[in-house]
Amino acid sequence: MHQDITPLCAADIQDQLKKRFAYLSGGRGQDGSPVITFPDYPAFSDVPDKEFQNVMTYLTSIPSLQDAGIGFILVIDRRQDKWTSVKASVLRIAASFPANLQLVLVLRPTGFFQRTLSDLAFKFNRDDFKMKVPVIMLSSVPELHGYIDKSQLTEDLGGTLDYCHTRWLCHRTAIEGFALMVKQTAQMLQSFGTELAETELPNDVQSTSSVLCVHTEKKDKAKEDMRLALDEGQSILESIREPLSKSPEQSLNQDQLDNQTTVQRLLAQLNETEAAFDEFWAKHQQKLEQCLQLRHFEQDFREVKAALDALAQKIATFTDVGNSLAHVEHLLKDLAGFEEKSSAAVERARALSLEGEQLIDNKHYAVDSIRPKCHELQHLCDQFAAEVTQRRGLLNKSLELHGLLEASMKWCDEGIYLLASQPVDKCQSQDGAEAALQEIEKFLENGAENKIQELNKIYQDYEPILTQDLMEHVQKVFQKQESMEEMFHRRQASLKKLAAKQMRPVQPVAPRPEALTKSPCPSPGVRRGSENSSSEGSTLRRGPYRRAKSEMSESRQGRGSSTGDEEESLAILRRHVMNELLDTERVYVEELLCVLEGYAAEMDNPLMAHLISTGLQNKKDVLFGNMEEIYHFHNRIFLRELENYIDCPELVGRCFLERMEEFQIYEKYCQNKPRSESLWRQCSDCPFFQECQKKLDHKLSLDSYLLKPVQRITKYQLLLKEMLKYSKSCEGAEDLQEALSSILGILKAVNDSMHLIAITGYDGNLSDLGKLLMQGSFSVWTDHKKGHSKVKDLARFKPMQRHLFLHEKAVLFCKKREENGEGYEKAPSYSYKQSLNMTAVGITENVKGDVKKFEIWYNAREEVYIIQAPTPEIKAAWVNEIRKVLTSQLQACREASQHRALEQSQSLPLPASSSTSPSKGNTRNIKKLEERKTDPLSLEGYVSSTTLPKPPEKGKASPTSPDKKAKRHEVKSDPTPFGLRGWSKTSHPLEAPEDNDGWSSAEEPINSSDAEEEGGMGPRKLVPGKYTVVVDDEKGGPHTLAVRSGDMVEVVQEGDEGLWYVRNLTSSKEGWVPASSLSMLLGKSSSAQCLSSSESSAGSALLSNSSSCSESCGAPLSDLQG
């Protein structure tokens, strides 16, 4: 078995063994020698030498080395053969037997002749059979039994040994196959073990998991192979023992026992190999699992450390200690929210540290790598907690300090209220003075705890949080407190004198009623305060500063207050307005952030995806619009800049003016609002919204918060108006006025744009028509020269309801269509009908029979449109605006002509505009007008007919030119808001002044035809326009205008005390004229406003040219009619 050559196996020579010319029965001699039997095989001589040699070699290799060492006994059965064959067989066997022989027993032929022949031949040929062992010729089987026991011989030799050659061959094949399987399994396990031992541990989680998975699969396959081998061995062992199971009396022969021993030895070897492999695998698996745990720990450590570093950087930015009590509370809330959000990262870090400690306790192989990381995590968590605690401590200190400051300021305010509310007439008596004195002393006694006692102690106690700004604020509050105390001391001194006076009998006299209305320094809110004095609820309606204003107004009506007290009172009211602006701004920013984080961000959360309906998917931009852009603007920029004006609220208008361009983002939000509202109504029942609302603990649904930006942009103009009332004499009053005008302009632009986007059916690009100047609803009659007479008559008496959009280049006629639904779904749409190119448009400003009508005609009156406005004021505004458009077009044409003429002559100066007085400043004023028209936020140049302009100074533009001060609040469009919830249709326009009641849009357009009547007119009512003078009046004073019969004049607008501002277009002079004189001068002359040359007098020819560019610029541009 230790030979270098590969031993033969039964499977290799199976066919040769099946011939059964020799077999190993398993019998033994008396000394244990193995017996090989050569049965009677007639074709023995035909067996090739190679086959014979293989069979002999294999049979002699089966017994154990010990038995084979004794020597083999050969039993050659030749009873049915001839002597010659016996001789040849014995000689062949003796010559090629590969092992030791102990004895050769030959059963010679049984025939008489052959037996005799064999005896004689054996005697004479004994030398031929000389072998190392004796050869014994046996005549019969019983003789054989003398050498070998019957129990060791097979039945064909007269023995009792149970032998089946086929079974023997099957056992041998199976045992040898099993031995080979055991050997291969051992080799495979050894190779696999070597691979495992040489595997390098990966450095990342994925690779480690992959290696562990691959090795586990290979281990499972090896275990499966071992299980199959064990099953095979057990099966072979049971097959060997099968005779014993059938007959207990039977026993196994020696070869069967050897086979059993071999299989048992192989099974034991296999079990030992499996046990060794299991032990090795357990160690390897543990190492791989620990490596995987380490890689997970290292990965989590990197993530957690990065999160903690980010938190440390974030907490380092929390340096602000606040500039007011509300601000500090807001910062504390932000810190608490930040701490709550960061708690997850901190808890994860602490849990990871505990996990690392457990790995160390479980005797992890990488203890030296894990322990430092655990310590670092604990240090970072403790450091972050200490930073948060320190930050909270500073903010609590700041909160305490601001609480003291607020209490002191409140005490000062209440003191001012107290001093302002003490009636002077009652203090003139001794009892009244004593009562007032007691009231002051009680106030000083009760408010002692609200005072700042020692300034140095404040500096010492709050040194860690005292920034330069905060220190200045503390000083200001302390100075105010000292000033307040000084005021009280002065009042106390006065009252003590009054209380100590010896009273003489004096008849009390009530103050004259006129004194109540002649206060030298009236408050901006006196009139409103007196009007509201009858209603307690209205006095309390607008908060403490309203109530304070009313009380101080009543006090000033009873006595004359000093200028210092009034300024202090106004400063308090301004501060209250500023506080409201800041507080509401902070709340607004918080609400936007809450919506963005609680709703918008959750729409991208995979854990919430199952709650989002199909109609809501990928619709975040539609639902929220540009709310995130609005939030970032207010949070990062506007709120911080507003806080810089907390100590000078009267200058807050500058903050609005500096950021006015950024406020344009609200136009985009409002334009998207109808789409957002429609989507909300479709998906409001979605479980996603309900879940988010539940998490946020909101009482109101999302749609209420989506309306916040719309409400906020309208709130600014109210606060600016309030601030302006209390800042009339302050430095920033002009900026406040301009900021208010700009905010109103933005509201109007938003309103107009939302009307504009509702136009349907227009094929072109609306942006090509230029800036939208005005829009509104009118009744329209049409009268076309080329039309059928019946169509003319029908058009004359049945007006169409049209919504007009006046652009710089065209006027659009649309039909307004109300939609069914609620909220934004009820917003109207406008169906486009036709458009008129402004280069071919003319106007007739007055139509007989109705002061609300005017004409727009097209292509030299081929098409005439009679427009009826809801009110005369709206008509005047539209006529003025159309006039400006036509005048600007004419001016452009004239300048082009002048340039061409200048190129030819090089000597002619540019002509002055017909709408301005001939002065040196005309060209400059025209440029300013053009600049103002290009300003998207400017409301200049649009003055209502009720506004009184100041007389023009020398060198200035005429009253019709845009004036920045007087024309900022002009209404240019129909003020009906477009679909904004909470804006009533009958309310005043957003951009209109409070006292302009004539601009209400509540009046519905007239739906019936207005037939013009000849004669029967009542007293003439003056309206702005152009007229011909019929009576001379040359008595012009320094501020009145001298005119002559036949002069063409323009009535610009009505002023106070019955004066009208008039421009003489013939003499280019202008001035004020009394209304009575003007009516007499004009008599019953018809308006010269019609721009048609066929209906105008000679004196109005210039006006005709100035109102229609089609006559002076050559051919009109292409018609825009639909």
Side-chain angles (χ1 to χ4, degrees), residues 418-438:
L418 175 61
L419 295 178
S421 63
Q422 288 183 339
V424 176
D425 54 348
K426 293 183 180 180
C427 294
Q428 300 301 322
S429 65
Q430 185 176 10
D431 293 339
E434 289 179 351
L437 188 58
Q438 290 177 1

mmCIF file of all heavy atoms in Angstrom, residues 418-438:
data_model
loop_
_atom_site.group_PDB
_atom_site.id
_atom_site.type_symbol
_atom_site.label_atom_id
_atom_site.label_comp_id
_atom_site.label_asym_id
_atom_site.label_seq_id
_atom_site.Cartn_x
_atom_site.Cartn_y
_atom_site.Cartn_z
ATOM 1 N N LEU A 418 -49.669 107.345 32.127
ATOM 2 C CA LEU A 418 -50.237 107.899 33.354
ATOM 3 C C LEU A 418 -50.147 109.423 33.354
ATOM 4 O O LEU A 418 -51.124 110.115 33.654
ATOM 5 C CB LEU A 418 -49.512 107.313 34.564
ATOM 6 C CG LEU A 418 -49.906 107.881 35.932
ATOM 7 C CD1 LEU A 418 -51.380 107.639 36.217
ATOM 8 C CD2 LEU A 418 -49.047 107.266 37.030
ATOM 9 N N LEU A 419 -48.963 109.938 33.017
ATOM 10 C CA LEU A 419 -48.804 111.386 32.998
ATOM 11 C C LEU A 419 -49.699 112.042 31.954
ATOM 12 O O LEU A 419 -50.241 113.125 32.165
ATOM 13 C CB LEU A 419 -47.342 111.739 32.721
ATOM 14 C CG LEU A 419 -46.324 111.329 33.806
ATOM 15 C CD1 LEU A 419 -44.921 111.709 33.365
ATOM 16 C CD2 LEU A 419 -46.647 111.980 35.134
ATOM 17 N N ALA A 420 -49.836 111.349 30.800
ATOM 18 C CA ALA A 420 -50.652 111.928 29.736
ATOM 19 C C ALA A 420 -52.139 111.863 30.048
ATOM 20 O O ALA A 420 -52.920 112.652 29.534
ATOM 21 C CB ALA A 420 -50.377 111.205 28.421
ATOM 22 N N SER A 421 -52.541 110.923 30.878
ATOM 23 C CA SER A 421 -53.967 110.728 31.154
ATOM 24 C C SER A 421 -54.462 111.548 32.338
ATOM 25 O O SER A 421 -55.671 111.564 32.598
ATOM 26 C CB SER A 421 -54.241 109.243 31.405
ATOM 27 O OG SER A 421 -53.535 108.798 32.550
ATOM 28 N N GLN A 422 -53.563 112.179 33.085
ATOM 29 C CA GLN A 422 -54.012 112.984 34.226
ATOM 30 C C GLN A 422 -54.564 114.318 33.713
ATOM 31 O O GLN A 422 -53.834 115.110 33.115
ATOM 32 C CB GLN A 422 -52.844 113.236 35.192
ATOM 33 C CG GLN A 422 -52.431 112.009 35.980
ATOM 34 C CD GLN A 422 -51.332 112.301 36.983
ATOM 35 O OE1 GLN A 422 -50.606 113.286 36.856
ATOM 36 N NE2 GLN A 422 -51.208 111.443 37.984
ATOM 37 N N PRO A 423 -55.856 114.581 33.909
ATOM 38 C CA PRO A 423 -56.460 115.826 33.403
ATOM 39 C C PRO A 423 -55.924 117.046 34.138
ATOM 40 O O PRO A 423 -55.842 117.069 35.367
ATOM 41 C CB PRO A 423 -57.946 115.604 33.648
ATOM 42 C CG PRO A 423 -58.020 114.624 34.757
ATOM 43 C CD PRO A 423 -56.820 113.741 34.618
ATOM 44 N N VAL A 424 -55.578 118.050 33.370
ATOM 45 C CA VAL A 424 -54.980 119.245 33.959
ATOM 46 C C VAL A 424 -55.993 120.017 34.803
ATOM 47 O O VAL A 424 -55.669 120.520 35.888
ATOM 48 C CB VAL A 424 -54.409 120.147 32.845
ATOM 49 C CG1 VAL A 424 -53.867 121.447 33.422
ATOM 50 C CG2 VAL A 424 -53.322 119.405 32.092
ATOM 51 N N ASP A 425 -57.256 120.099 34.326
ATOM 52 C CA ASP A 425 -58.232 120.912 35.066
ATOM 53 C C ASP A 425 -58.512 120.356 36.452
ATOM 54 O O ASP A 425 -58.703 121.104 37.412
ATOM 55 C CB ASP A 425 -59.520 121.040 34.258
ATOM 56 C CG ASP A 425 -60.055 119.678 33.851
ATOM 57 O OD1 ASP A 425 -59.308 118.689 34.004
ATOM 58 O OD2 ASP A 425 -61.199 119.597 33.373
ATOM 59 N N LYS A 426 -58.503 119.034 36.572
ATOM 60 C CA LYS A 426 -58.746 118.438 37.891
ATOM 61 C C LYS A 426 -57.558 118.631 38.824
ATOM 62 O O LYS A 426 -57.699 118.627 40.043
ATOM 63 C CB LYS A 426 -59.057 116.946 37.744
ATOM 64 C CG LYS A 426 -60.372 116.677 37.045
ATOM 65 C CD LYS A 426 -60.668 115.187 36.982
ATOM 66 C CE LYS A 426 -61.984 114.920 36.269
ATOM 67 N NZ LYS A 426 -62.277 113.466 36.209
ATOM 68 N N CYS A 427 -56.356 118.739 38.260
ATOM 69 C CA CYS A 427 -55.169 118.913 39.095
ATOM 70 C C CYS A 427 -55.046 120.335 39.637
ATOM 71 O O CYS A 427 -54.178 120.616 40.467
ATOM 72 C CB CYS A 427 -53.912 118.556 38.308
ATOM 73 S SG CYS A 427 -53.815 116.814 37.853
ATOM 74 N N GLN A 428 -55.890 121.251 39.174
ATOM 75 C CA GLN A 428 -55.810 122.634 39.658
ATOM 76 C C GLN A 428 -56.321 122.764 41.090
ATOM 77 O O GLN A 428 -55.926 123.663 41.830
ATOM 78 C CB GLN A 428 -56.627 123.546 38.728
ATOM 79 C CG GLN A 428 -56.131 123.542 37.286
ATOM 80 C CD GLN A 428 -54.697 123.987 37.166
ATOM 81 O OE1 GLN A 428 -54.254 124.899 37.869
ATOM 82 N NE2 GLN A 428 -53.952 123.332 36.279
ATOM 83 N N SER A 429 -57.202 121.858 41.490
ATOM 84 C CA SER A 429 -57.706 121.884 42.862
ATOM 85 C C SER A 429 -56.770 121.109 43.769
ATOM 86 O O SER A 429 -55.998 120.257 43.318
ATOM 87 C CB SER A 429 -59.107 121.280 42.917
ATOM 88 O OG SER A 429 -59.060 119.910 42.567
ATOM 89 N N GLN A 430 -56.868 121.413 45.081
ATOM 90 C CA GLN A 430 -55.994 120.738 46.046
ATOM 91 C C GLN A 430 -56.298 119.256 46.096
ATOM 92 O O GLN A 430 -55.383 118.424 46.119
ATOM 93 C CB GLN A 430 -56.166 121.379 47.430
ATOM 94 C CG GLN A 430 -55.188 120.806 48.477
ATOM 95 C CD GLN A 430 -55.297 121.510 49.808
ATOM 96 O OE1 GLN A 430 -56.211 122.295 50.017
ATOM 97 N NE2 GLN A 430 -54.368 121.260 50.698
ATOM 98 N N ASP A 431 -57.580 118.922 46.123
ATOM 99 C CA ASP A 431 -57.945 117.498 46.168
ATOM 100 C C ASP A 431 -57.476 116.779 44.909
ATOM 101 O O ASP A 431 -56.958 115.661 44.967
ATOM 102 C CB ASP A 431 -59.464 117.363 46.314
ATOM 103 C CG ASP A 431 -59.936 117.873 47.664
ATOM 104 O OD1 ASP A 431 -59.101 117.943 48.598
ATOM 105 O OD2 ASP A 431 -61.145 118.203 47.776
ATOM 106 N N GLY A 432 -57.684 117.429 43.755
ATOM 107 C CA GLY A 432 -57.247 116.794 42.502
ATOM 108 C C GLY A 432 -55.745 116.625 42.451
ATOM 109 O O GLY A 432 -55.232 115.603 41.995
ATOM 110 N N ALA A 433 -55.010 117.632 42.947
ATOM 111 C CA ALA A 433 -53.547 117.528 42.946
ATOM 112 C C ALA A 433 -53.088 116.438 43.889
ATOM 113 O O ALA A 433 -52.162 115.669 43.569
ATOM 114 C CB ALA A 433 -52.933 118.868 43.348
ATOM 115 N N GLU A 434 -53.737 116.344 45.069
ATOM 116 C CA GLU A 434 -53.354 115.287 46.011
ATOM 117 C C GLU A 434 -53.663 113.913 45.423
ATOM 118 O O GLU A 434 -52.880 112.970 45.580
ATOM 119 C CB GLU A 434 -54.090 115.497 47.327
ATOM 120 C CG GLU A 434 -53.587 116.701 48.128
ATOM 121 C CD GLU A 434 -54.365 116.896 49.422
ATOM 122 O OE1 GLU A 434 -55.385 116.195 49.578
ATOM 123 O OE2 GLU A 434 -53.946 117.733 50.240
ATOM 124 N N ALA A 435 -54.818 113.786 44.777
ATOM 125 C CA ALA A 435 -55.170 112.495 44.171
ATOM 126 C C ALA A 435 -54.167 112.115 43.080
ATOM 127 O O ALA A 435 -53.712 110.969 42.996
ATOM 128 C CB ALA A 435 -56.583 112.553 43.600
ATOM 129 N N ALA A 436 -53.815 113.074 42.259
ATOM 130 C CA ALA A 436 -52.835 112.801 41.199
ATOM 131 C C ALA A 436 -51.473 112.466 41.792
ATOM 132 O O ALA A 436 -50.758 111.585 41.302
ATOM 133 C CB ALA A 436 -52.721 114.016 40.278
ATOM 134 N N LEU A 437 -51.121 113.153 42.899
ATOM 135 C CA LEU A 437 -49.848 112.890 43.556
ATOM 136 C C LEU A 437 -49.823 111.485 44.138
ATOM 137 O O LEU A 437 -48.827 110.764 44.023
ATOM 138 C CB LEU A 437 -49.610 113.937 44.653
ATOM 139 C CG LEU A 437 -48.228 113.923 45.329
ATOM 140 C CD1 LEU A 437 -47.129 114.126 44.294
ATOM 141 C CD2 LEU A 437 -48.160 114.980 46.416
ATOM 142 N N GLN A 438 -50.920 111.088 44.782
ATOM 143 C CA GLN A 438 -51.006 109.731 45.335
ATOM 144 C C GLN A 438 -50.922 108.690 44.212
ATOM 145 O O GLN A 438 -50.299 107.632 44.379
ATOM 146 C CB GLN A 438 -52.312 109.578 46.114
ATOM 147 C CG GLN A 438 -52.350 110.373 47.421
ATOM 148 C CD GLN A 438 -53.691 110.252 48.109
ATOM 149 O OE1 GLN A 438 -54.575 109.560 47.623
ATOM 150 N NE2 GLN A 438 -53.837 110.936 49.252
#
